[in-house]
Amino acid sequence: NNFKRRSNVLMNIEDIRKLNNEDLIKEKESVIKNIMDGRFKHKSMALNDTSQIRKLKRDKAKILTVINERKIVGTIAATKEEIEEDDK
């Protein structure tokens, strides 16, 4: 994983887009785990910075956006290839 997260800073969308698909999935799983840990710490009164959960949720949304963008682009590319093959 080439991307190093700073725990209290939101991820930059450009940096997320630079990740390959495998690293993107790993980062998504890491963020989801950190959200669950944050919720647990919040409920047990051990979380000092409650805004951390919101930041992690935003990071998760950015990651999911990039994943969905890649799915859409892949679908469009596949559809164009199918149309070109049908025209032949």
Side-chain angles (χ1 to χ4, degrees), residues 13-29:
I13 192 72
E14 288 83 18
D15 292 336
I16 294 172
R17 286 194 172 108
K18 291 177 185 175
L19 295 175
N20 63 30
N21 291 343
E22 185 177 312
D23 288 341
L24 202 57
I25 298 300
K26 288 180 185 176
E27 192 63 35
K28 180 185 85 165
E29 292 169 356

Side-chain angles (χ1 to χ4, degrees), residues 42-55:
H42 180 63
K43 294 295 182 188
S44 63
M45 304 297 225
L47 185 64
N48 294 330
D49 182 13
T50 56
S51 70
Q52 191 67 24
I53 296 172
R54 179 180 295 166
K55 291 174 185 175

Side-chain angles (χ1 to χ4, degrees), residues 1-3 8-9 11 14 19 21-22 24 26 38 41-42 47 52 57 61 70-71 75-76 78 82:
N1 189 354
N2 298 340
F3 186 75
N8 60 350
V9 177
M11 299 168 89
E14 288 83 18
L19 295 175
N21 291 343
E22 185 177 312
L24 202 57
K26 288 180 185 176
K41 287 179 182 178
H42 180 63
L47 185 64
Q52 191 67 24
K57 286 181 179 181
R70 290 181 184 180
K71 285 179 184 178
T75 304
I76 292 170
E82 291 171 3

Side-chain angles (χ1 to χ4, degrees), residues 5 28 40 61 65 74 77:
R5 167 195 285 283
K28 180 185 85 165
F40 178 76
T65 297

